[in-house]
């Protein structure tokens, strides 16, 4: 039976979220930065808007490089990440997408797969109307743009959502799949990275057409049966992976009311250790790792205060959680005047612990 699958990915997500709450950023290069605790400009770019990308700024590069590339743009903005705010946007975005899917699969903070086979009656014309409607809804409710790929499977939809970014809508009907793929670089296939590309180069194979000339046995020999077969099918646009119902809880948090209001470091830390234990239990039970950690205070006048940080690598270690929580508590208590009434911790940026990762793990 034919399927209709959407892959939806938001454009320059963190940076676009920043533009939403401060529209005059829209005309400027905007870089969202993860400042490290070494101070100054040490740290990396999480993402940048498309104006900044024109100058070569992209995710993962050092903040100092980005500043250098934008040195002629006095109007460039370098903003610190605000995970809490982006998580709220993610939640709202996911809700809209979910309401418009037969089966909804959360992938990451700014992307999801939707199986819409039933509601579009397997009709690509209806499906493309639905995709446009979703884009309009998201624009109207959240002021955000996203890119959507529409095809009979997850693989092609993922490639298609990236094909005309930003604000793209790319529809690849079943009889157009091979044609669509053949014009693309082999690197668009999820799982074909630099290394695999290099191995193909050594075999004198550069394009998707070239790759189609090799039989599955040769591929299996070269990459192992699982990966070989995946590549053999992928370059032909074949991918049977179902859209699996999955809703990510975007973060795990615990909060307690203290026995007495306090701003005493030792007392608060003791309570935080207990919360760490509880959160780590939930994290481990769900087979997850986290990459950002936060603490928050509800103060005696019921105002809130929070501190959070991004770790270098994902972890599920209680020691590492405790170490970071200590640091955050010290920061949080600086110039603290009010007493604290409730105390919480939160871990976010969750990833699934997988077995040894291989290129077929993409779906
Ligand atoms: P796009 O989809 O190309 O228009 O741009 P983004 O920024 O939406 O890129 P995407 O979908 O790969 O990532 C979604 C968000 O995840 C992005 O806005 C920021 C965060 N992110 C991506 N790459 C990195 C990274 O290397 N480091 C950190 N800290 N965050 C990242
Ligand atoms: Ca994105
Ligand atoms: Ca994404």
């Amino acid at each position: 039976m034919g399927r209709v699958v959407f892959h939806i990915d938001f454009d320059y997500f963190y940076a676009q979220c920043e533009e939403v709450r401060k529209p005059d950023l829209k005309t400027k290069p905007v870089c969202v930065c993860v400042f490290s605790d070494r101070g100054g400009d040490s740290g990396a770019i999480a993402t940048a808007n498309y104006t900044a990308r024109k100058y070569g700024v992209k995710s993962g590069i050092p903040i100092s490089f980005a500043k250098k590339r934008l040195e002629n743009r006095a109007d460039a903005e370098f903003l610190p990440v605000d995970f809490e705010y982006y998580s709220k946007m993610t939640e709202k975005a996911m809700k809209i997408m979910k309401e418009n899917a037969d089966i909804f699969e959360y992938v990451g903070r700014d992307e999801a797969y939707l199986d819409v086979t039933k509601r579009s009656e397997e009709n690509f014309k209806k499906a493309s109307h639905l995709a446009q409607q979703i884009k309009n809804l998201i624009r109207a409710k959240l002021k955000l743009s996203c890119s959507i790929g529409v095809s009979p499977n997850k693989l092609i939809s993922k490639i298609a959502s990236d094909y005309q970014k930003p604000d793209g809508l790319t529809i690849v009907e079943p009889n157009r799949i091979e044609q669509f793929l053949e014009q693309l670089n082999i690197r668009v296939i999820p799982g074909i990275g630099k290394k695999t590309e290099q191995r193909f180069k050594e075999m004198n194979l550069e394009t998707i057409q070239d790759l189609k000339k090799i039989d599955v046995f040769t591929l299996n020999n070269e990459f192992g049966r699982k990966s070989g077969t995946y590549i053999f099918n992928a370059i032909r646009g074949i991918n049977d992976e179902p859209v699996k119902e999955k809703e990510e809880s975007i973060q795990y948090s615990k909060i307690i009311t203290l026995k007495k209001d306090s701003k005493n470091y030792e007392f608060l830390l003791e309570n935080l250790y207990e919360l760490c234990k509880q959160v780590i239990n939930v994290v481990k039970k769900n087979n997850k790792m986290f990459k950002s950690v936060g603490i928050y205070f509800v103060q005696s006048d019921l105002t809130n205060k929070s501190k959070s940080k991004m770790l270098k690598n994902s972890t599920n270690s209680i020691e590492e959680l405790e170490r970071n929580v200590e640091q955050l508590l010290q920061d949080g208590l600086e110039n603290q005047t009010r007493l604290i009434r409730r105390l919480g911790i939160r871990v976010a940026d969750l990833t699934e612990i997988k077995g040894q990762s291989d290129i077929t793990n993409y779906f």
Side-chain angles (χ1 to χ4, degrees):
M1 198 189 84
R3 291 184 295 154
V4 186
V5 173
F6 292 177
H7 179 257
I8 306 185
D9 186 280
F10 285 72
D11 305 319
Y12 61 104
F13 185 57
Y14 292 178
Q16 208 188 165
C17 289
E18 295 294 347
E19 288 179 2
V20 167
R21 63 177 167 186
K22 214 172 152 218
D24 48 311
L25 289 174
K26 278 190 184 148
T27 56
K28 305 174 179 176
V30 177
C31 303
V32 177
C33 308
V34 186
F35 290 101
S36 83
D37 37 16
R38 269 188 239 131
D41 282 342
S42 76
I45 300 296
T47 195
N49 69 0
Y50 280 72
T51 309
R53 289 184 196 191
K54 277 194 221 136
Y55 295 83
V57 176
K58 56 182 182 184
S59 299
I61 69 167
I63 297 166
S64 54
F65 288 14
K67 288 206 167 160
K68 188 104 201 140
R69 289 180 188 168
L70 285 165
E71 65 191 348
N72 295 325
R73 290 292 301 250
D75 59 341
E77 296 268 359
F78 295 84
L79 308 169
V81 281
D82 181 350
F83 294 117
E84 235 145 294
Y85 167 57
Y86 312 141
S87 295
K88 279 185 201 138
M89 296 294 261
T90 297
E91 247 171 283
K92 289 182 192 161
M94 295 295 158
K95 183 165 177 279
I96 296 173
M97 292 191 278
K98 194 172 185 290
E99 285 168 355
N100 285 282
D102 304 331
I103 309 170
F104 173 78
E105 180 176 337
Y106 170 94
V107 181
R109 55 174 61 254
D110 78 331
E111 65 190 274
Y113 289 106
L114 283 62
D115 188 311
V116 296
T117 308
K118 275 202 201 108
R119 65 185 64 203
S120 63
E121 296 162 346
E122 286 179 59
N123 177 324
F124 273 78
K125 200 162 183 96
K126 283 195 180 133
S128 65
H129 283 304
L130 176 60
Q132 189 58 56
Q133 262 173 19
I134 295 175
K135 281 168 71 79
N136 295 347
L137 261 174
I138 289 172
R139 162 92 55 202
K141 291 195 173 164
L142 305 178
K143 299 195 172 67
L144 287 174
S145 76
C146 61
S147 296
I148 307 188
V150 180
S151 87
N153 67 53
K154 287 164 88 173
L155 170 81
I156 299 300
S157 295
K158 178 155 176 76
I159 297 170
S161 71
D162 205 46
Y163 184 67
Q164 303 185 68
K165 249 183 185 298
D167 205 11
L169 172 54
T170 302
I171 294 143
V172 186
E173 296 200 26
N175 58 352
R176 295 272 176 168
I177 289 179
E178 299 231 3
Q179 197 180 344
F180 172 70
L181 276 180
E182 281 183 1
Q183 42 148 356
L184 300 174
N185 190 289
I186 64 171
R187 285 287 294 277
V188 305
I189 306 283
I192 298 191
K194 266 205 189 104
K195 271 200 217 146
T196 314
E197 184 187 31
Q198 192 51 41
R199 274 168 87 181
F200 281 132
K201 264 210 181 110
E202 285 156 15
M203 300 160 76
N204 252 324
L205 306 166
E206 306 232 353
T207 65
I208 288 185
Q209 280 109 307
D210 291 342
L211 294 193
K212 279 186 176 171
K213 290 179 201 138
I214 355 174
D215 58 78
V216 71
F217 304 104
T218 312
L219 280 171
N220 287 355
N221 244 339
E222 195 68 24
F223 299 99
R225 205 171 63 88
K226 204 171 160 207
S227 300
T229 310
Y230 164 76
I231 294 175
F232 183 85
N233 287 327
I235 56 182
R236 291 168 175 77
I238 299 167
N239 179 267
D240 294 333
E241 202 58 41
V243 177
K244 298 180 270 289
E245 193 71 55
K246 186 172 168 202
E247 247 181 285
E248 192 68 352
S249 94
I250 289 156
Q251 55 184 51
Y252 296 125
S253 60
K254 290 274 171 198
I255 185 160
I256 45 161
T257 302
L258 297 167
K259 294 222 167 66
K260 57 176 196 288
D261 292 5
S262 167
K263 55 174 184 169
N264 175 279
Y265 178 77
E266 275 76 28
F267 175 73
L268 294 170
L269 191 59
E270 207 177 294
N271 282 279
L272 283 173
Y273 283 154
E274 182 51 40
L275 291 171
C276 287
K277 242 190 261 162
Q278 296 177 16
V279 166
I280 284 287
N281 281 341
V282 180
V283 167
K284 292 202 164 156
K285 210 166 70 199
N286 288 285
N287 213 29
K288 292 281 193 309
M289 313 250 269
F290 54 86
K291 206 173 172 195
S292 79
V293 176
I295 64 169
Y296 53 96
F297 303 158
V298 179
Q299 306 178 112
S300 47
D301 60 353
L302 297 182
T303 58
N304 293 311
K305 183 169 172 183
S306 69
K307 290 273 168 195
S308 64
K309 67 179 285 193
M310 189 74 162
L311 311 178
K312 273 217 182 67
N313 299 299
S314 294
T315 181
N316 63 1
S317 133
I318 186 152
E319 290 80 18
E320 198 168 348
L321 178 61
E322 287 173 350
R323 213 168 345 106
N324 285 289
V325 161
E326 282 163 26
Q327 182 67 51
L328 290 168
L329 180 62
Q330 277 171 28
D331 294 351
L333 286 179
E334 219 165 276
N335 307 320
Q336 179 74 21
T337 48
R338 298 191 182 92
L339 294 175
I340 295 156
R341 185 183 151 83
R342 305 188 74 207
L343 185 61
I345 78 173
R346 174 188 66 90
V347 298
D349 276 79
L350 302 171
T351 45
E352 198 94 25
I353 302 181
K354 287 193 192 126
Q356 223 185 1
S357 88
D358 72 57
I359 67 175
T360 63
N361 270 344
Y362 277 81
F363 299 97

